[in-house]
Amino acid sequence: MRLRSLAALFAIGLLAGCASQPAKVPGAPVAPAEAEKPAARLTLRPASFSDLSGWSVDRTADALPALLKSCDRLVKQPGDRALGPDGMMGRISDWIGPCAAIAKLPAGDHVALRRAVESLFQPWAATDNGEAEGLFTGYYESSLRGSFKRQGKYQTPLYKRPADLVMVELGEFRPNLKGERIAGRVVDGQLKPYADRKAIEAGALNGKGLELLYVDDPVDAFFLQIQGSGRVTLPDGSQVRIGYDGQNGQPYFAIGRELVARGALVKEDVSMQSIRAWLEANPAQAAAVMNTNPSYVFFRRLEGEGPLGAQGVALTPGRSLAVDRTFIAYGVPLWLDAQDPLDAKTRIRRLMVAQDTGGAIRGPVRGDVFWGHGAEAEQRAGLMKSPGRYWLLLPKGVTPAVS
């Protein structure tokens, strides 16, 4: 599955979704200003660990669970499989040795992991056509209250993926469309758009037996669709985990834009927290505002460890990063250096692993930090719109073209 995540694209004062939202429609007109920009391109320059500010003090071993999970996925793939654009991140065979060495390390030993990484990997400074700084946002695992039965306050359904929903990875048909996708339903042999949010909220899926759960707050349900995963507390106090299982193919529209257009918020104040506060304070208008986003997400119940990222591994809070898979391969460790969303004078400097993706995560230097579950994780994710940069850590011997 592709984990749905919240990515705050606040550069233009909007709220956007990180996870696998549909991308621009191929062939759509391009604005003149956009047409003048050079095409996004990952460029790498060799660096050293001394270039990574904070490297010697990071609690490196906190990233070991993420590294082990990604390595387990990588080493099971064919050895000649290339990673990244044009194989910039080597082949699977290049990762087998480093992964085997990491698997032998003791848990909790920051020094041991740091020394192992230094001996096994080479840092490469990532840029977009020479521009090192990019945008980093955050996402988290939502908390909801719900019931398997529609009763009392539990009236808002969360739907399972419809059997007639067809999701298409366009990269399987055209290499230049790798990472792009659409969805819809087949009508008379042609793929047609699926029902949008407004139609679904009006009952387009009624009577199909797709109700997975009912929750007590439509605003919580809306933000769950942006985050893509959550824990639902049932009336008896037990919890179930749910995760992303498909999307209706409709374009994602950031409702922060709608609230700014209405004069309800100013773009400088747009955040997940400010949007939620407005929706809760204006229940009579909330549904109409949420329906301006036609995108709709479907869920499935998750068993075992989670939530799961697009790489298919359980995410590690504070150590898993969603990236643009067009440029960065899943499983690649990275060193992140970005502004802390809670303190502009503090930096987030830590070892992370690329394990997820998202429709609003576009570009060679762009990421979404998974913060985990709970109030602090929600606060960090909702406020994060941090400038920052990262370095890829590639196995020694892998030498991407330098440009």
Side-chain angles (χ1 to χ4, degrees), residues 201-389:
E201 294 290 2
L205 299 181
N206 287 357
K208 298 181 181 294
L210 296 174
E211 293 82 2
L212 177 64
L213 285 157
Y214 296 90
V215 296
D216 65 352
D217 187 339
V219 175
D220 282 349
F222 179 83
F223 279 100
L224 171 69
Q225 292 190 35
I226 298 174
Q227 299 303 314
S229 70
R231 301 183 193 183
V232 182
T233 300
L234 302 175
D236 64 3
S238 62
Q239 288 189 338
V240 295
R241 250 189 173 128
I242 57 175
Y244 173 88
D245 197 30
Q247 189 261 358
N248 65 344
Q250 296 285 347
Y252 182 87
F253 178 81
I255 66 170
R257 181 188 302 177
E258 176 68 15
L259 292 176
V260 170
R262 290 180 177 216
L265 296 176
V266 295
K267 67 178 184 179
E268 292 78 11
D269 295 335
V270 173
S271 68
M272 183 188 71
Q273 287 86 347
S274 65
I275 292 174
R276 178 185 283 275
W278 189 93
L279 294 173
E280 292 175 346
N282 298 272
Q285 303 173 62
V289 170
M290 291 188 288
N291 283 342
T292 62
N293 173 23
S295 172
Y296 198 92
V297 171
F298 306 104
F299 296 94
R300 65 185 177 95
R301 185 170 177 176
L302 300 179
E303 302 291 346
E305 192 179 7
L308 300 179
Q311 193 188 13
V313 302
L315 300 179
T316 302
R319 298 291 175 166
S320 295
L321 189 71
V323 296
D324 185 343
R325 62 182 298 201
T326 305
F327 302 101
I328 309 296
Y330 295 143
V332 172
L334 312 99
W335 179 256
L336 174 66
D337 186 343
Q339 182 178 299
D340 190 313
L342 302 185
D343 182 358
K345 297 180 180 180
T346 302
R347 305 293 293 182
I348 299 168
R349 290 170 171 151
R350 60 179 63 184
L351 179 62
M352 305 194 72
V353 185
Q355 295 182 319
D356 203 5
T357 192
I361 307 306
R362 296 292 181 186
V365 187
R366 178 72 172 92
D368 210 21
V369 177
F370 176 66
W371 287 112
H373 177 263
E376 182 179 350
E378 181 175 353
Q379 182 185 27
R380 282 186 173 275
L383 295 175
M384 191 169 183
K385 47 181 177 179
S386 303
R389 61 179 303 188

